[in-house]
Amino acid sequence: MSESKIESYRKLVDALNSDGIAVTWEEVLDNNGAPVAESAVQKKMLFELMARKGYSKSWDDAKLMIKTTPRYQINRKKPAAIAVIQAIHEAGGIAILAHPYLVSEMVTYEHNTISRDEYIRAMLSAGLDGIEVNYPYDKTSYGGNLTNEQIADEILEKYGALVNVLSGVSDYHADHKKGVKNARQIGEAGIEIDYFNSNPYLSNLP
């Protein structure tokens, strides 16, 4: 997975270059003065680089550009969601689906195109333990028209009774240090500690 990710990111840099977007792999690794190894590269680092060099207004605009441009869709090898759930369980962990409404509305799954809801329910059938309810979608590339609260209500209504764990997270990346406006902050969109202390599924974990 790691090797495939690196290869796909390199190909994406080449595709951007061919369209006149002058970013280099070396600049990605430099990470704005905080160098990282190839194995630690995240696509967001490329988005941030594009924004710093003026090819987009912000990192999330760069993300949207790449997400909506077919020639930038570089496939990489990923295990099936069900295989990941099984691996997590075999390792003694719990499998929680993060920010479900950043999953595309239509998903290619087992060579078929299905809705996001069908995809989530397939994972639930495979033993998904939990789902993230609270998340600052308004500070991401989420392209829908629902508010954070409306999304949380919809997730609870659809899946709340079908999982053992509900979660919430800020997805904090210290973006305020990088000059990102309306950056995500530690602690926002979380789940209260009382919920974790009172959830028997979590308290019974080793």
Side-chain angles (χ1 to χ4, degrees):
M1 285 176 59
S2 178
E3 290 173 357
S4 178
K5 181 180 74 169
I6 293 168
E7 181 183 2
S8 71
Y9 291 174
R10 282 179 168 273
K11 288 181 178 179
L12 176 55
V13 168
D14 291 341
L16 291 168
N17 290 169
S18 68
D19 285 346
I21 299 175
V23 293
T24 69
W25 185 243
E26 289 69 28
E27 288 175 316
V28 175
L29 294 178
D30 180 68
N31 192 32
N32 198 30
V36 297
E38 283 193 334
S39 60
V41 169
Q42 300 297 324
K43 194 177 285 186
K44 188 181 178 189
M45 296 174 185
L46 177 56
F47 303 151
E48 291 172 344
L49 174 60
M50 291 170 64
R52 285 197 303 273
K53 299 193 75 172
Y55 293 109
S56 65
K57 293 180 180 179
S58 63
W59 73 265
D60 49 339
D61 284 334
K63 179 179 180 179
L64 188 60
M65 176 201 306
I66 289 175
K67 185 178 180 180
T68 57
T69 304
R71 62 183 174 279
Y72 297 153
Q73 306 310 303
I74 313 292
N75 291 328
R76 58 187 176 98
K77 296 178 182 178
K78 294 181 180 180
I82 289 176
V84 173
I85 292 170
Q86 292 172 341
I88 291 171
H89 287 166
E90 289 170 3
I94 57 175
I96 300 177
L97 176 61
H99 36 67
Y101 277 45
L102 289 186
V103 175
S104 299
E105 291 189 13
M106 302 304 297
V107 180
T108 299
Y109 179 69
E110 294 186 343
H111 309 294
N112 295 311
T113 300
I114 61 176
S115 69
R116 176 172 58 212
D117 177 65
E118 291 172 314
Y119 181 62
I120 292 172
R121 292 184 186 278
M123 284 189 281
L124 288 168
S125 296
L128 185 70
D129 300 294
I131 193 165
E132 191 171 82
V133 178
N134 294 340
Y135 184 79
Y137 287 94
D138 58 326
K139 298 182 178 182
T140 70
S141 59
Y142 169 68
N145 55 14
L146 298 178
T147 66
N148 294 339
E149 293 75 18
Q150 288 172 326
I151 293 174
D153 289 343
E154 193 166 297
I155 291 172
L156 283 172
E157 181 180 350
K158 287 184 175 182
Y159 315 113
L162 304 178
V163 295
N164 293 305
V165 181
L166 303 174
S167 74
V169 66
S170 64
D171 210 354
Y172 174 76
H173 287 277
D175 288 338
H176 66 285
K177 297 180 181 179
K178 305 169 187 175
V180 174
K181 296 180 179 179
N182 197 30
R184 288 168 282 189
Q185 301 297 325
I186 292 177
E188 69 173 310
I191 295 290
E192 297 295 332
I193 191 64
D194 288 346
Y195 168 76
F196 285 97
N197 290 337
S198 63
N199 186 316
Y201 190 79
L202 295 172
S203 61
N204 289 333
L205 289 173

